[in-house]
Amino acid sequence: MTDFETVIFIDLDGTIMINPFERVVWPVVIGELVAQSGQSADAIYDMIAAENRARQDDDAGDPVLSMDWDDITATVAQRLGVRLTANVTDLVRTHAASHSSVMDHAPEVLRDLRAPGRALVVATKGLAKYQVPVLDALGLTSLFDAVLTPDTHGGLKKHRRFFGDWPQRARRALMVGDRYDDDVLYPGRHGFLLLWKPEALPPDLLPLDPLERARRYPYATDQPLPATAILASLRELPALVTRLEG
Ligand SMILES: [Mg+2]
């Protein structure tokens, strides 16, 4: 016996919401590092991205620290020989309401998806300290049964432990997200059904049904696993989930 018919894991950034990082956190943090170090903004942005990538790829490293932007930016500042006064956690808290937004009719879609026998669970690679203030500010928190972040079970989406016991509690697990690696490849390895909402869709796939899009999508060589379905809009999700349950 399982507790639920379906557990729907839903990614946050780029899937249902836009967080304050691009709009305010990076401009403030990188602006301060540029002023102090004399390096270009692009060079500093690249250093931050490279440090984040290296930490995620280090299997011996701490998955939580790999997504800790306060620790990452402090490390980059130290490498530049300067000391950062801006704090990412504070900036996110301050600007969560003013510089974030919901995407693609997400609140209506989430309300439509809620049904007896279904669990709606946030599955985000962002730490709770950056994501929960934004979810709260956007009024989305109460639409979910749980929020999974790397700090919940000490893992990233590539680690099965990230998802805790939710997959066993349901007959089927669905992952909805925008990134191929985190939302298709890794959850596919955990045996989930994969509802991918890529940033851009080839126009000839648009008129097709989401399952047919996934069959015809021109996957790159580093995209070895096909999605179950490809979404052009979140609004396709409620009918698609009902179909997959049928
Ligand atoms: Mg995302």
Side-chain angles (χ1 to χ4, degrees):
M1 272 302 286
T2 50
D3 299 333
F4 301 98
E5 184 72 16
T6 307
V7 56
I8 308 172
F9 295 114
I10 304 185
D11 173 58
L12 294 183
D13 301 321
T15 300
I16 66 163
M17 71 185 205
I18 296 171
N19 68 38
F21 277 79
E22 297 301 326
R23 290 169 177 171
V24 68
V25 173
W26 295 134
V28 170
V29 167
I30 292 172
E32 189 188 333
L33 292 174
V34 166
Q36 286 199 49
S37 70
Q39 296 283 320
S40 74
D42 284 349
I44 290 168
Y45 187 89
D46 288 348
M47 286 176 77
I48 292 170
E51 179 65 18
N52 171 239
R53 192 71 253 164
R55 290 182 184 204
Q56 286 188 59
D57 291 342
D58 175 10
D59 288 328
D62 177 350
V64 176
L65 275 183
S66 79
M67 295 308 299
D68 190 317
W69 296 113
D70 290 290
D71 195 72
I72 290 167
T73 52
T75 300
V76 167
Q78 196 176 28
R79 230 168 258 159
L80 290 166
V82 302
R83 200 166 161 278
L84 184 66
T85 61
N87 176 280
V88 175
T89 307
D90 291 343
L91 285 168
V92 171
R93 282 188 181 282
T94 305
H95 299 284
S98 57
H99 288 75
S100 63
S101 47
V102 296
M103 294 173 70
D104 198 5
H105 312 273
E108 299 94 293
V109 169
L110 292 169
R111 274 184 213 108
D112 266 11
L113 281 174
R114 289 179 63 83
R118 283 186 193 155
L120 259 61
V121 175
V122 168
T124 173
K125 199 169 69 175
L127 301 187
K129 62 181 176 178
Y130 307 129
Q131 302 295 61
V132 172
V134 181
L135 277 175
D136 286 346
L138 294 174
L140 297 175
T141 313
S142 64
L143 297 173
F144 291 99
D145 297 286
V147 177
L148 300 178
T149 62
D151 22 356
T152 311
H153 298 293
L156 302 173
K157 291 185 197 177
K158 66 180 170 181
H159 303 117
R160 172 60 185 78
R161 65 178 180 272
F162 176 96
F163 298 91
D165 67 354
W166 282 101
Q168 292 101 286
R169 293 179 62 189
R171 286 180 55 162
R172 66 181 71 71
L174 271 50
M175 178 75 217
V176 181
D178 67 310
R179 277 188 65 122
Y180 180 82
D181 54 358
D182 285 322
D183 302 319
V184 177
L185 183 60
Y186 304 143
R189 288 179 183 160
H190 306 323
F192 305 167
L193 297 176
L194 311 162
L195 313 186
W196 186 27
K197 188 191 150 195
E199 201 181 337
L201 199 58
D204 56 312
L205 297 186
L206 257 180
L208 303 180
D209 159 84
L211 299 174
E212 189 59 25
R213 284 185 202 130
R215 285 190 280 269
R216 304 247 199 117
Y217 187 84
Y219 297 95
T221 47
D222 61 349
Q223 297 178 326
L225 190 74
T228 308
I230 292 183
L231 300 164
S233 161
L234 287 178
R235 282 193 283 189
E236 296 173 328
L237 202 49
L240 180 61
V241 172
T242 301
R243 239 174 109 189
L244 293 171
E245 287 174 332

